[in-house]
Amino acid sequence: MAAPAAQGLVTDLYQLTMLQAYLVHGMHAPATFELFTRRLPPNRNFLIAAGLDAALDYLENLRFEAADIDYLESLGRFSAEFLDYLRGFRFSGNVDALPEGTPFFANEPLLAVHAPLPEAQLVETRLLNLVQLPSAVASKAARVVAAADGRSVIDFGLRHAHGADASLAASRAAYIAGVQATSNVAAGQAFGIPVAGTMAHSFVQAHDREREAFRRFMATFPGAALLVDTYDVEAGVATVIDLAREAGGAAPAAVRLDSGDLAAHARRTRRQLGQAGLPQVQIIVSGNLDEDEIARLIADGAPIDSFGVGAALAVSEDAPCLDVVYKLVAYDGQGRMKLAAQKTTLPDPKQVFRQFESGAATHDVLGLAGETSDGQPLLEPVMRNGARLPAGRRPLEEIRAHAERSLAMLPPRIRLLESATPPYQVEVSPGLQEAAARTRRRLEQQ
């Protein structure tokens, strides 16, 4: 998704005040910041990396326009020299990142920014903003898709998303994690995601008779899906059957149920359609669905072919905000770390090594970027000198396929909806442990 041009002011004020202080005091040396999550949300055994495409687009296009400079000048906080610096600002750094669609765990960097300190600092807020929501939604979508157990899932979340930009990011992230289609037409245009939809109750209500509403919709869109629960589900399905007979067996592709006891309605609907010789008509259900409700419906044996999931998916309802942070780990050739209780960080640029046995992931090792390991290194170069590399321009279908393969490699207990026992293990390498101890001693001697 292309980020809007410039975006210089999409940041927190303190990023700009720190930036001016860095420049005044000549702090231009190379720095590394890492973006990661401190902990997984409750009931999450893993998260899925998403949002990298938008993050790299932002870094490539970051500018301060004339109106931005005028506004900053009006605040009376910034020097003329600093404002001149912003006029010519361009991000010139390097980025290493997990490929989108990669499962990740607490304290593992999603991306690492290597750049002169002022540049690396300035982009913190927007990078967190661009990565947090897509990663949360992709992780939620993976659970919904797993619960559907091979049945299709459609993203119905546009109307519940927190704005148009958020809806696009959410639809893209859900598709990465295995959702098959979206009702969001703009997402279909922007990303090539298949679009799907049925009809609203208002279309039926706008007609004097349900039969006439169905007849007109079928005449306009042969093979469409009809919403049969505006009044009475059983009567609505009977009307669909009558119209199919009138049309010589031409039936809608599906009927949708959106309220009531979905399992009971689905069983009666399947029985009616089967007895009428219309077993090919699929049953779509929607209405406040999440992964737990979908799992319950399937466990109940409900004959459902597809699930439309809205609010729970678009805002990752049970975990709408990930505990993502962006922390300085190296500056001017030295490791940097935070020692605050419960928020201690690890110093130096890192690499994540995923360990496999017989093709299945067993655990990860969080090590130093220069270390070697038998495992597969996950962080890869995606930007150099402010320009994307091919690894930072992967097609969406390739990202989606990578997510499917990567999820399949996780241990079965980690892919369950319930909290895994034991959780997936992330070990800290001896080299990183030694670096942390060395940096801690240096800081405690100050």
Side-chain angles (χ1 to χ4, degrees):
M1 178 173 57
Q7 298 197 59
L9 296 189
V10 185
T11 189
D12 290 309
L13 177 63
Y14 77 170
Q15 306 292 2
L16 295 169
T17 55
M18 286 190 291
L19 189 57
Q20 179 165 300
Y22 287 150
L23 295 171
V24 167
H25 296 285
M27 298 180 69
H28 299 278
T32 296
F33 283 78
E34 292 176 343
L35 191 155
F36 59 95
T37 182
R38 289 193 183 101
R39 61 186 65 85
L40 300 184
N43 300 320
R44 293 287 194 279
N45 295 323
F46 62 88
L47 297 172
I48 294 183
L52 177 63
D53 180 71
L56 296 179
D57 210 53
Y58 159 71
L59 293 174
E60 283 191 312
N61 292 288
L62 176 57
R63 306 283 189 276
F64 288 86
E65 310 226 8
D68 301 336
I69 301 299
D70 290 344
Y71 171 72
L72 293 176
E73 186 175 20
S74 75
L75 297 179
R77 296 171 181 259
F78 302 106
S79 68
E81 293 78 10
F82 176 65
L83 296 176
D84 282 340
Y85 167 81
L86 293 184
R87 285 188 180 93
F89 184 91
R90 302 291 185 273
F91 181 77
S92 65
N94 302 335
V95 179
D96 299 322
L98 299 180
E100 287 194 274
T102 301
F104 69 95
F105 303 90
N107 297 311
E108 297 183 339
L110 279 76
L111 58 83
V113 174
H114 315 280
L117 179 60
E119 295 181 31
Q121 180 73 68
L122 175 63
V123 301
E124 172 184 6
T125 300
R126 187 59 170 143
L127 289 180
L128 287 167
N129 174 261
L130 288 167
V131 167
Q132 188 274 144
L133 174 66
S135 295
V137 172
S139 307
K140 180 71 169 182
R143 290 169 58 82
V144 170
V145 170
D149 195 26
R151 298 156 181 83
S152 66
V153 177
I154 306 169
D155 159 34
F156 281 0
L158 170 58
R159 65 188 59 197
H160 304 287
H162 296 163
D165 289 345
S167 79
L168 289 170
S171 293
R172 181 180 182 275
Y175 187 68
I176 286 172
V179 169
Q180 283 83 3
T182 180
S183 68
N184 188 341
V185 180
Q189 179 193 38
F191 309 122
I193 301 171
V195 292
T198 59
M199 66 193 309
H201 291 107
S202 56
F203 187 87
V204 177
Q205 292 171 295
H207 292 77
D208 292 334
R209 300 178 63 205
E210 185 177 57
R211 175 181 295 270
E212 192 61 24
F214 289 173
R215 178 183 284 113
R216 287 180 174 178
F217 205 76
M218 289 173 65
T220 308
F221 298 102
L226 301 178
L227 183 59
V228 295
D229 70 337
T230 303
Y231 306 120
D232 178 84
V233 174
E234 199 165 346
V237 175
T239 299
V240 171
I241 293 169
D242 285 346
L243 292 174
R245 287 171 177 158
E246 286 180 13
V255 295
R256 177 161 71 98
L257 306 167
D258 189 57
S259 57
D261 186 335
L262 294 176
H265 286 325
R267 279 192 284 270
R268 281 195 297 270
T269 298
R270 177 54 63 208
R271 184 167 56 250
Q272 283 180 267
L273 292 170
Q275 290 172 349
L278 298 173
Q280 78 279 13
V281 178
Q282 295 199 334
I283 298 173
I284 303 170
V285 299
S286 58
N288 301 317
L289 296 178
D290 62 10
E291 64 268 42
D292 295 324
E293 179 62 13
I294 290 171
R296 186 192 69 78
L297 288 167
I298 290 176
D300 199 23
I304 295 167
D305 301 290
S306 185
F307 298 92
V309 185
L313 185 59
V315 301
S316 184
E317 191 172 32
D318 64 322
C321 183
L322 303 181
D323 187 15
V324 287
V325 294
Y326 180 87
K327 296 300 180 184
L328 179 69
V329 299
Y331 174 63
D332 200 13
Q334 285 192 316
R336 309 286 168 155
M337 64 187 297
K338 186 175 178 179
L339 300 181
Q342 298 182 338
K343 291 188 176 182
T344 303
T345 59
L346 293 168
D348 295 302
K350 301 173 192 67
Q351 179 58 272
V352 180
F353 301 96
R354 185 146 294 165
Q355 312 294 312
F356 293 90
E357 185 175 312
S358 301
T362 57
H363 65 285
D364 290 355
V365 175
L366 183 62
L368 294 168
E371 286 189 282
T372 58
S373 169
D374 293 335
Q376 175 189 347
L378 300 184
L379 289 160
E380 61 182 12
V382 293
M383 175 174 277
R384 288 295 180 263
N385 301 316
R388 286 203 215 196
L389 300 178
R393 295 187 182 278
R394 288 197 170 97
L396 186 57
E397 292 298 335
E398 182 179 325
I399 294 170
R400 177 178 164 90
H402 168 72
E404 182 178 14
R405 289 192 303 270
S406 299
L407 283 167
M409 291 178 182
L410 293 179
R413 75 179 191 283
I414 302 301
R415 289 183 269 126
L416 296 175
L417 300 185
E418 300 80 18
S419 295
T421 304
Y424 191 86
Q425 296 300 308
V426 179
E427 301 174 0
V428 178
S429 75
L432 181 53
Q433 292 182 47
E434 182 181 344
R438 186 170 56 249
T439 302
R440 178 183 286 274
R441 287 194 298 269
R442 189 187 79 238
L443 294 173
E444 291 174 343
Q445 291 170 3
Q446 294 184 104

